[in-house]
Amino acid sequence: NAMRGNAVQIKNAERECVPLRKNYPLWLHVGVIFTVLIVLVSFALGFSSYRMVQRTTRTATIQLAEQISTITELSLKEMKRSAYLIVETQLAQQKKFDEYRHSWPVIASELTSLPFINSIFIGYGNGDFFVVAALDSESEREALNAPPKTFFAVQALENRFGKKTSVESYYDENLLFLAKKERPEDSFDPRSRHWYINAMKKSGYFVTDPYFFYETIELGVTVSRKSMDLKSVIGVDISLSSLSQTLDTLSPTPGTRIVIAKPDGSLVAHTHHLPRFNNTFPLMLTKEKTPILFSALEKYKKGEHGLVDSSIDGEKWLFYINKISVLGDNDENILLMAMPADEVMRDSEELLRRTLQISFFILLLSLPFIWYATQRIVKPLQALIVQTKKIQEFNFDDE
């Protein structure tokens, strides 16, 4: 009894010295620990999956951009090869002006088989000019004031006895005659055009920089070469609108912008995401009209290539920058691709969101089992604690 009284006095003294604090049940502590562990494991698994998918998406984006670059270069090489072949074929025939005028359906068949070829023409040293053009859009027909169903426009410009005559004939896609128009006021002279002057100076092909064609006001390039008798120049106009359409079909996401440009920012081809330039030449990438692609061009000038991260006005972008060979032989051109990061990474972010949702759902389902298992685990410990307290208080009343 004396020992028990001393123990009670010691316990009371300890209670007076130790400040009061709120005690929570042991099962609650253990349950919270298990719950926090499950949450942390779920979050770690979700985040690691997100990072893995993000890296995979980035690698796939680089591979896709490289494929787009390769496809574009192959398309350009095919355009150039076809243009060279046409010029060679026409040179081999060495036809005179009248022969070209009467055999224009043969030239028209070339235009039908190669939709990116806008026109095939020949300019002579005396100023004569003959051209067969394919008009496959309403804007081109309006530029020439051609009848609505016109598909081919044939122009013959002659200088006879000091008098110039220019006659345009229009045909439908079945080569049926639609109308004819004389243009005596036509001042066009092929000898003053850069494709004629430079072709006469060279022994091989001459490829112009992109420019707007004289009649259709369409952006393109001209491939030309002088004839074997050195008296005329054969040429073809290649429309760059077909290249722009190719870039548009290759866009990996709806908001992607793709252009082929020169280092000074002048455009060769572009997707429809760019604003209209109202046929002003040269078409330029500017900070005002095209801030996204202008920023990509600036990064190219700083020596950055491949996939580059960027943030513009708080929006994240992925730039792909690569040199590309266009129609010129030694001309430097750049493929610039700007992709919204949220569109590219949408799948990985969706995976993270779903992973977190599933983890939260599993946690809700498992909470009752966690609390039940916790109480089963804690019950023997609680009994042990009770016995320990009795021993600490020298309470040996129980058997």
Side-chain angles (χ1 to χ4, degrees), residues 203-218:
S203 58
Y205 302 98
F206 172 71
V207 183
T208 68
D209 288 329
Y211 72 104
F212 286 107
F213 297 145
Y214 178 75
E215 293 284 0
T216 60
I217 317 299
E218 184 178 2

Side-chain angles (χ1 to χ4, degrees), residues 259-303:
V259 299
I260 298 175
K262 296 182 180 299
D264 62 355
S266 58
L267 289 175
V268 176
H270 59 83
T271 57
H272 72 281
H273 300 285
L274 295 183
R276 295 184 63 86
F277 287 84
N278 300 321
N279 292 334
T280 56
F281 187 78
L283 303 180
M284 299 291 294
L285 294 176
T286 63
K287 191 173 184 179
E288 293 73 27
K289 288 186 175 181
T290 54
I292 307 300
L293 291 164
F294 182 79
S295 178
L297 181 65
E298 291 295 306
K299 289 186 178 295
Y300 167 78
K301 292 179 179 179
K302 294 178 182 178

